[in-house]
Amino acid sequence: GAPARRAPVRATVTVDAAVLAANDALHAAACERSDARYRPSAPLVAYAGEWERFCFPASPEAYAGVDAVPPCPFTAVDLACVSTRPLLSAEQCAVFLADAQDVAASAWDLPAAAAGAEATYARRAGTTVEVSQLPRGRELFNAAVLPALFPAVVAAFPDALGDVPPARLRVQAAFVVKYNASAGQTELGYHRDGPLVTATCALNCPSEFDGGGTLIEAKDWPRSPAPIRLARGHALLHPGNVRHGGAPITSGLRFVLVVFMYDSRTTDHARHCTVRAQARLDGALREQRGSAQRRAALAAAARGFHDALACGAGDRSEAAHVGLGHAFLELASYDGAAALAAALDNLEAAVVRAPADAHAHTMLSTACLAAGLTARALEAASAAVEADPASPIARNNRGLILAALGRSADALRAYADGLRLDPSNAELLVNFGVSAYDLGETATAVRCFRAALDSDPTHARAATNLAQLQLGGA
Ligand SMILES: O=C(O)CCC(=O)C(=O)O
Ligand SMILES: [Fe+2]
């Protein structure tokens, strides 16, 4: 029978009917887009194999994050499933690989999950190409992949999706991800995919690369997850919003076919509200600081994230709390203490939901510093570094907190750690320069500001600081 532990299903009555109607319209448009590109063009075929299952953490106390509880409609045994029979033949994999090789280098793009991420992370990320851009792959996808994949998805999650006819599934996105060790495009950081279910299919053999595989954050908890390395043609299925990533390869090439799927019958209100609010927040952050437009856009973003939370987004992801916290943090420069307190509440809620999300910890530390909570700020900044030791942004942020605490020498070390990861990062160079100056090392400071301007000639703080030191005769 179905395990008892399940995410609560939220009533959406507190959300304006117009918002729900807008979500339904977005959902309908998404289904139409899906139908135009990706539709099974042959009869569906039942999946004849078994599934190797991975469960949500047995003790939710041990893993405090959202992934301690299966997201509705999934159950405790639905963290991830690996096929015991291939879904794609070697020949079918070869078609995708040949297409992927023929597609112009310019067609490859950074994955959506990396698009909003910091530049250095994005540089390490694998690149993607949409299946709809692959002339032979697109045909094959509709003629053979979807007819096998839709029934397999339902079969893999019988408790959760047993009532969903496979033909009701739709594709939000389908793309080939290419990891290339010699190009430094080796991994994909932890993230959540939007829609109901994600399928990741291996297109080449694990002998063609070292490392790699899919990391499911809550798998093997409290140990760090062993990567799931699929044999060619095999599929990994998991709820889309389970936190996961692509483990770094250390040599060779790794190709996977990734498909995001959802039920055409169900509008995902939490997701649509979150996506809409995030777009508003991104827009607000582009408005002039201090302007009325910025304030209005931030308030609209906050309302959107509120709606998302009212639809249950907080039960599934940290994203709405991070977004709401970010919006309130920015609103604090207009509205003062009440907004700052709301920012802190939401960012604390976010790190509870995603204890290994460096971005959430970094946002929290910034808010704590603004509120004068320096000890908590440093704790959160250190948690961000621990969550993502390869992130120069997390190192930079920790340096800023240490500098604000008057610990210039410690700040300098934090920036130096960041610069080892990203030697030409202008922000790190400027901040290193400032702390060096605070420690009386003016010549070093001048060198750092110059180096920052070399790598980013538009860096205003580097230019101002350099001019000031040169005026001072340094
Ligand atoms: O490379 C993998 O195994 C994961 C890919 C992934 O998570 C994605 O493309 O969204
Ligand atoms: Fe993903």
Side-chain angles (χ1 to χ4, degrees), residues 113 175 179 188-194 198 200 214 238 240 242 244-246 258 260:
F175 46 91
Y179 300 94
L188 206 53
Y190 277 113
H191 64 276
R192 302 181 199 275
D193 305 324
T198 297
T200 302
T214 309
H238 60 81
V242 154
H244 66 282
V258 178
F260 299 163

Side-chain angles (χ1 to χ4, degrees), residues 90-410:
E91 294 72 34
Q92 290 170 335
C93 290
V95 170
F96 283 104
L97 290 184
D99 256 7
Q101 240 111 49
D102 290 349
V103 166
S106 59
W108 290 88
D109 206 350
L110 291 173
E118 56 176 283
T120 44
Y121 162 70
R123 250 188 272 133
R124 290 199 307 274
T127 53
T128 64
V129 65
E130 274 273 342
V131 167
S132 60
Q133 288 182 257
L134 304 175
R136 286 153 296 174
R138 177 193 180 131
E139 286 298 308
L140 181 65
F141 186 75
N142 288 331
V145 178
L146 288 184
L149 189 55
F150 283 173
V153 165
V154 171
F157 303 109
D159 284 345
L161 303 180
D163 296 341
V164 177
R168 218 164 79 187
L169 293 176
R170 292 293 181 278
V171 174
Q172 197 240 352
F175 46 91
V176 174
V177 187
K178 173 189 185 178
Y179 300 94
N180 181 350
S182 63
Q185 291 159 337
T186 53
E187 66 184 288
L188 206 53
Y190 277 113
H191 64 276
R192 302 181 199 275
D193 305 324
L196 186 67
V197 177
T198 297
T200 302
C201 307
L203 293 175
N204 64 337
C205 296
S207 59
E208 293 171 32
F209 52 86
D210 289 304
T214 309
L215 298 166
I216 305 277
E217 187 175 282
K219 178 178 157 287
D220 305 328
W221 195 267
R223 285 168 296 135
S224 50
I228 296 172
R229 298 181 92 229
L230 300 169
R232 178 176 56 191
H234 280 258
L236 161 70
L237 307 179
H238 60 81
N241 72 298
V242 154
R243 259 171 70 91
H244 66 282
I249 59 167
T250 55
S251 75
L253 293 166
R254 174 174 177 249
F255 290 92
V256 288
L257 173 67
V258 178
V259 189
F260 299 163
M261 285 158 284
Y262 61 95
D263 177 3
S264 62
R265 191 67 69 81
T266 312
T267 300
D268 187 340
H269 288 287
R271 189 167 86 80
H272 286 298
C273 283
T274 306
V275 169
R276 184 186 299 117
Q278 191 61 50
R280 285 180 186 161
L281 177 59
D282 294 343
L285 297 175
R286 285 192 295 270
E287 299 282 354
Q288 180 81 33
R289 272 186 191 282
S291 69
Q293 290 92 322
R294 187 174 169 108
R295 182 187 197 170
L298 287 168
R303 270 196 308 279
F305 286 120
H306 266 300
D307 287 345
L309 291 172
C311 293
D315 298 331
R316 296 199 337 212
S317 161
E318 64 287 355
H321 281 108
V322 173
L324 190 52
H326 194 165
F328 274 128
L329 180 57
E330 295 287 333
L331 280 168
S333 66
Y334 299 92
D335 302 335
L340 192 51
L344 286 170
D345 280 352
N346 279 286
L347 292 168
E348 289 286 5
V351 300
V352 167
R353 282 166 174 73
D357 186 329
H359 175 62
H361 285 290
T362 294
M363 289 292 310
L364 173 60
S365 76
T366 305
C368 288
L369 192 64
L373 304 170
T374 50
R376 182 75 185 109
L378 184 56
E379 196 175 58
S382 301
V385 169
E386 200 181 318
D388 190 357
S391 163
I393 291 214
R395 307 271 175 177
N396 182 58
N397 181 67
R398 185 161 175 276
L400 286 171
I401 309 281
L402 288 164
L405 291 171
R407 293 169 55 181
S408 299
D410 291 332

